[in-house]
């Protein structure tokens, strides 16, 4: 997982971006330089087992791959099931081979759980340790390259398309940006644009391949086996303010879905709802470090699942009290597979932060009135972007 940190040297040309319509494999691996310590062994085994399964799937017909990839992303919190089935099959085989001398399955499962909880969930600091500038995790072998190629096929399922707020819009690699992504939906699919190399976003701006992008994810994500390893492999870190400050202090760009669990709970087909009026943390971060704000909106994300309002009042109370979101939803055939509808991801013009508004010591808290000023600017920019490119849909800002 951590062996793939490969900083790009100054003056080195970007690797050739591959077309999504061709081979799903990445270019040949590059040797890691200045790689940090490896994560716990059990964490690497967990990710490798998932990579083996996805590598096998990568030999399926391309259309079936895209459906299966979208299904697995949609069923995110069930991703621990395939590796567990693989482990169970291995234990059954070993039990047959060793016969009665082989220890019971319950003992093996319990031992693995204890090792994972102690060495990974309690001691591993990877979710709170962001990468340095111009570093990114890369696949290191044939299996990992096939696995990543499989995951990227979900871009072709909908398909995804990138729409710039202005045709001549550019993102300069020597500047920093905070990408605020809306809406969350059941799953914030637009985030994947900035998480995967050779995505439409990367093909347009090159910031993922450049090793400049870091995503923020809820703390609970890093407490779920397999899901944790997959998010770390894509460069995500914990969404706490202290970690986000480290990311920007390292010279990297941030992308985050600002509406969080509450926005997910409010997802309704045919409606574009964003929870934003009281969400100022991402603006505060941008002003603290002088990073430009970039509004990002995924048109069609709220249409990918059928949702239900049954018990919504109680579920909203539970979410606000405990942070646990329990949306009731389904996709195609009552499964986590999203409906096959085009996704248009809109990228607005960056909103620069005036130098006089940036604290003398970057990372310090800015003046609240300054944060309010840029927050209002951001909301108006998002509304304008949605009005121009939202295909006549209405935007509700809560």
């Amino acid at each position: 997982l951590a062996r793939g940190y490969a900083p790009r040297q100054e003056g080195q040309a970007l690797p050739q971006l591959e077309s999504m319509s061709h081979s799903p494999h990445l270019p040949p691996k590059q040797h890691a330089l200045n790689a940090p310590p490896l994560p716990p062994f059990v964490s690497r085994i967990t990710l490798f087992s998932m990579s083996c399964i996805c590598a096998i799937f990568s030999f399926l017909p391309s259309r079936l791959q895209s459906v299966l990839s979208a299904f697995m992303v949609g069923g995110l919190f069930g991703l621990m099931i395939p590796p567990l089935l693989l482990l169970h099959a291995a234990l059954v085989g070993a039990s047959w081979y060793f016969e009665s001398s082989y220890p019971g399955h319950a003992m093996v499962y319990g031992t693995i759980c204890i090792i994972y909880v102690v060495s990974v969930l309690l001691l591993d600091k990877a979710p709170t340790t962001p990468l340095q500038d111009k570093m990114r995790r890369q696949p290191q072998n044939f299996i990992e390259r096939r696995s990543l190629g499989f995951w990227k096929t979900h871009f072709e399922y909908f398909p995804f398309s990138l729409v710039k707020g202005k045709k001549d819009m550019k993102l300069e690699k020597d500047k920093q940006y905070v990408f605020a992504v809306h809406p969350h939906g059941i799953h914030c699919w637009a985030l994947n644009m900035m998480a995967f190399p050779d995505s439409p976003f990367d093909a347009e701006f090159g910031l993922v391949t450049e090793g400049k992008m870091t995503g923020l994810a809820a703390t609970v994500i890093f407490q779920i086996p397999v899901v944790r390893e997959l998010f770390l492999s894509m460069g995500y870190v914990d969404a706490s303010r202290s970690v986000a400050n480290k990311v920007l202090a390292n010279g990297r760009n941030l992308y985050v879905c600002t509406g969080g669990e509450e926005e997910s709970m409010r997802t309704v087909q045919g409606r574009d709802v964003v929870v934003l009026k009281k969400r100022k943390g991402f603006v505060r971060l941008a002003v603290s470090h002088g990073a430009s704000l970039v509004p990002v909106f995924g048109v069609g994300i709220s249409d990918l699942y059928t949702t239900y309002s049954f018990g919504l009042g109680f579920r909203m109370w539970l979410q606000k009290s405990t942070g646990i979101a329990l949306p009731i939803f389904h996709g195609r055939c009552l499964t986590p597979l999203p409906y096959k509808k085009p996704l248009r991801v809109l990228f607005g013009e960056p909103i620069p932060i005036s130098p006089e508004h940036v604290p003398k010591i970057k990372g310090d808290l800015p003046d609240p009135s300054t944060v309010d000023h840029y927050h209002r600017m951001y909301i108006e920019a998002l509304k304008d972007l949605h009005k121009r490119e939202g295909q006549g849909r209405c935007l509700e800002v809560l």
Side-chain angles (χ1 to χ4, degrees):
L1 175 63
R3 290 167 54 207
Y5 292 83
R8 190 181 68 86
Q9 301 300 316
E10 290 296 330
Q12 177 183 346
L14 284 174
Q16 182 65 36
L17 295 176
E18 61 178 352
S19 169
M20 291 298 299
S21 61
H22 292 84
S23 170
H25 315 309
L26 291 175
K29 69 174 184 178
Q30 300 177 16
H31 293 289
L33 301 176
N34 302 321
L38 291 172
F41 177 75
V42 67
S43 185
R44 281 179 280 152
I45 290 297
T46 301
L47 181 62
F48 184 72
S49 64
M50 192 70 207
S51 297
C52 288
I53 295 170
C54 293
I56 294 172
F57 291 158
S58 72
F59 290 98
L60 296 172
S62 58
R63 186 173 180 180
L64 184 56
Q65 282 190 61
S66 66
V67 173
L68 188 54
S69 175
F71 176 84
M72 292 175 68
V73 175
L76 180 67
F77 296 108
L79 287 180
M80 68 176 69
I81 296 176
L84 286 176
L85 292 176
L86 190 65
L87 172 64
H88 183 72
L91 290 177
V92 169
S95 179
W96 172 82
Y97 182 80
F98 290 102
E99 297 180 349
S100 60
S101 63
Y102 191 75
H105 293 181
M107 182 185 299
V108 176
Y109 290 140
T111 302
I112 292 175
C113 287
I114 292 173
I115 294 174
Y116 189 91
V117 169
V118 174
S119 67
V120 177
L121 300 185
L122 296 181
L123 300 180
D124 187 32
K125 304 300 181 184
T128 58
T129 309
L131 299 177
Q132 296 296 319
D133 191 24
K134 297 185 180 179
M135 286 186 176
R136 70 182 180 92
R137 295 177 173 91
Q138 299 184 82
Q140 293 297 294
N141 52 55
F142 174 79
I143 291 176
E144 292 178 0
R145 287 193 289 273
R146 296 292 310 193
S147 175
L148 180 56
F150 165 77
W151 284 114
K152 290 195 297 181
T153 59
H154 78 273
F155 286 113
E156 300 168 358
Y157 171 77
F158 297 102
F160 275 76
S161 62
L162 182 148
V163 179
K164 295 192 291 186
K166 290 185 178 179
K167 291 184 178 180
D168 59 348
M169 172 185 165
K170 294 182 180 180
L171 298 176
E172 300 178 30
K173 294 183 174 64
D174 60 344
K175 292 186 178 180
Q176 281 186 285
Y177 303 95
V178 172
F179 297 86
V181 185
H182 319 270
H184 190 290
I186 298 302
H187 296 299
C188 192
W189 294 85
L191 290 173
N192 293 356
M193 276 269 201
M194 291 163 276
F196 285 89
D198 305 328
S199 67
F201 170 82
D202 194 37
E204 181 68 36
F205 301 112
L207 293 177
V208 181
T209 302
E210 182 81 6
K212 301 284 292 183
M213 303 296 293
T214 294
L216 299 182
T219 302
V220 67
I221 290 293
F222 301 104
Q223 298 170 350
I224 305 172
V226 181
V227 176
R228 175 189 193 276
E229 279 71 32
L230 287 172
F231 269 72
L232 286 173
S233 72
M234 292 186 289
Y236 280 91
V237 292
D238 186 82
S240 64
R241 176 176 173 80
S242 60
V243 176
N245 264 322
K246 292 178 186 177
V247 173
L248 293 173
N250 287 351
R252 300 177 68 85
N253 304 312
L254 268 181
Y255 57 96
V256 58
C257 185
T258 62
E261 295 90 349
E262 181 180 352
E263 200 168 88
S264 174
M265 298 287 290
R266 295 184 182 277
T267 300
V268 179
Q269 273 190 316
R271 293 174 57 189
D272 289 343
V273 180
V274 296
V275 178
L276 189 56
K277 287 184 178 179
K278 296 182 179 180
R279 302 291 175 112
K280 301 180 182 180
F282 70 101
V283 178
R284 191 176 296 111
L285 276 169
V287 176
S288 294
H289 293 268
S292 299
L293 286 161
V294 181
V296 181
F297 196 94
V299 179
I301 286 180
S302 59
D303 300 335
L304 299 180
Y305 294 97
T306 298
T307 59
Y308 297 92
S309 59
F310 175 77
L312 182 60
F314 170 75
R315 289 186 285 123
M316 291 297 297
W317 171 83
L318 183 67
Q319 183 272 319
K320 291 182 179 179
S321 302
T322 66
I324 299 174
L326 297 174
I328 302 175
F329 70 96
H330 68 77
R332 295 170 66 178
C333 303
L334 302 179
T335 72
L337 178 65
Y339 298 121
K340 189 176 175 64
K341 298 183 178 182
L343 292 182
R344 300 172 67 249
V345 184
L346 317 178
F347 283 80
E349 281 283 300
I351 303 171
I353 307 298
S354 299
E356 62 267 22
H357 292 150
V358 181
K360 293 182 179 180
I361 301 177
K362 283 191 175 183
D364 283 357
L365 290 176
D367 185 87
S369 61
T370 301
V371 174
D372 291 340
H373 168 70
Y374 283 104
H375 186 251
R376 289 191 296 269
M377 286 182 61
Y378 179 85
I379 292 178
E380 291 305 313
L382 180 65
K383 288 180 177 178
D384 181 64
L385 175 67
H386 188 275
K387 184 178 181 180
R388 286 186 287 109
E389 302 291 349
Q391 299 179 324
R393 299 167 68 103
C394 180
L395 177 65
E396 302 176 49
V397 181
L398 303 180

